[in-house]
């Protein structure tokens, strides 16, 4: 059994999405001790910003006429897809930035979608694999809050992971991670503590389920 884990936080210290990802991972590892984990830290080690346009350019260019950059982008997309296709379970930890999806995660998804195994129209190499998305927000976007509807990341990530990549997806969410950091949010300390506990419980539960999920095998 193998796990693929992607982290998109731009922080390595104090990252709440990494902490929740660690809970999911440790639950998975408890069931599969010593099993392989492939990691990709796209927040700390971003993919080249030109890779996507180069890979798209390559798809419209005969192989013998591709530039070295186009060929490198195709190889990178293939390696990223190998990581997804080769894993039995997938874990993505992606924070909300500027009310939208992390640019690093968007670049990653765009590039993966250029690989023929993940391109629109084909059954994706990830179809049916169990996966957990951990997503965290500094603020709160629940129904009835002043910023309801301002989280433009979670719905997009669900569409990609659940519908386009056809993963069997569970989502762990923790809002109000900036409580205790931004003094203007001090009034929300109790609710933030409660949301943290709920997210940790969710991460444990979905981590256990990820470890026990049935894994589709290629025919
Ligand atoms: C540059 C930047 C932009 C952010 N934009 C938002 C935002 O639009 N909405 C929000 O709720 N939180 C925002 N945050 C807060 C992060 O979502 C929050 O700090 C989260 O915990 C970051 O993930 P991490 O703890 O794994 O590093 C932003 C943080 C940074 C650094």
């Amino acid at each position: 059994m193998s796990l693929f884990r992607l982290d998109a936080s731009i922080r390595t210290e104090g990252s709440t999405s990494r902490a929740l990802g660690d809970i999911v991972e440790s639950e998975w590892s408890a069931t599969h001790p010593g099993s392989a984990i492939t990691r990709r830290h796209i927040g700390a080690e971003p993919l080249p910003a030109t890779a996507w346009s180069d890979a798209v350019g390559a798809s419209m260019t005969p192989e013998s006429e591709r530039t070295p950059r186009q060929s490198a982008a195709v190889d990178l997309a293939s390696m990223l897809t190998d990581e997804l296709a080769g894993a039995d379970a997938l874990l993505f930890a992606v924070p909300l930035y500027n009310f939208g999806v992390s640019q690093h995660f968007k670049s990653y998804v765009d590039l993966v979608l250029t690989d023929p195994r993940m391109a629109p129209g084909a059954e994706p190499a990830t179809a049916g694999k169990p996966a957990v998305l951990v997503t965290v927000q500094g603020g709160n976007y629940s129904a009835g809050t002043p910023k309801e509807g301002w989280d433009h990341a979670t719905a997009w990530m669900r569409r990609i992971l659940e519908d386009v990549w056809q993963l069997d997806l569970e989502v762990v969410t923790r809002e109000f991670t900036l409580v205790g950091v931004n003094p203007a949010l001090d009034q929300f300390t109790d609710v933030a503590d409660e949301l943290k506990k709920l997210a940790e419980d969710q991460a444990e539960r979905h981590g256990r389920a990820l470890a026990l999920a049935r894994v589709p095998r290629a025919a």
Side-chain angles (χ1 to χ4, degrees):
M1 297 297 283
S2 59
L3 176 70
F4 169 77
R5 173 173 175 176
L6 174 145
D7 284 277
S9 171
I10 57 174
R11 298 194 288 177
T12 47
E13 297 299 319
S15 159
T16 53
S17 58
R18 280 177 205 273
L20 289 169
D22 288 347
I23 295 174
V24 175
E25 178 184 322
S26 75
E27 290 295 331
W28 185 88
S29 291
T31 305
H32 305 292
S35 291
I37 302 178
T38 301
R39 300 175 195 282
R40 193 156 276 280
H41 299 283
I42 57 170
E45 294 161 32
L47 301 169
T50 50
W52 172 69
S53 55
D54 286 337
V56 172
S59 71
M60 301 167 187
T61 309
E63 211 173 320
S64 60
E65 292 170 28
R66 287 178 188 162
T67 65
R69 254 182 42 180
Q70 286 176 334
S71 300
V74 170
D75 290 348
L76 181 56
S78 176
M79 184 169 73
L80 299 176
T81 303
D82 286 348
E83 290 172 354
L84 293 169
D88 295 308
L90 309 175
L91 167 59
F92 302 90
V94 187
L96 178 70
Y97 290 127
N98 296 325
F99 307 111
V101 69
S102 138
Q103 60 155 305
H104 298 124
F105 189 60
K106 178 71 165 56
S107 298
Y108 169 82
V109 169
D110 285 347
L111 188 55
V112 166
L113 286 171
T114 65
D115 186 276
R117 292 167 289 170
M118 298 297 283
E123 166 147 315
T126 44
K129 288 183 191 276
V132 171
L133 167 67
V134 170
T135 181
V136 297
Q137 298 89 16
N140 193 308
Y141 301 88
S142 312
T145 60
K147 288 273 191 299
E148 177 182 356
W150 282 55
D151 168 5
H152 294 282
T154 306
W156 180 84
M157 292 193 286
R158 271 191 179 275
R159 292 288 71 78
I160 292 293
L161 299 175
E162 256 181 325
D163 300 323
V164 179
W165 291 5
Q166 297 178 28
L167 294 168
D168 184 3
L169 187 74
E170 297 289 354
V171 180
V172 174
T173 305
R174 180 181 160 197
E175 293 182 295
F176 265 163
T177 64
L178 286 177
V179 174
V181 179
N182 176 354
L185 297 174
D186 279 355
Q187 58 186 305
F188 300 113
T189 300
D190 288 349
V191 67
D193 288 347
E194 203 175 311
L195 292 174
K196 176 173 185 283
K197 176 81 181 72
L198 282 172
E200 289 167 351
D201 291 348
Q202 256 186 343
E204 265 181 39
R205 206 170 56 251
H206 292 320
R208 268 196 304 276
L210 188 68
L212 299 173
R214 197 184 58 79
V215 176
R217 292 283 170 202

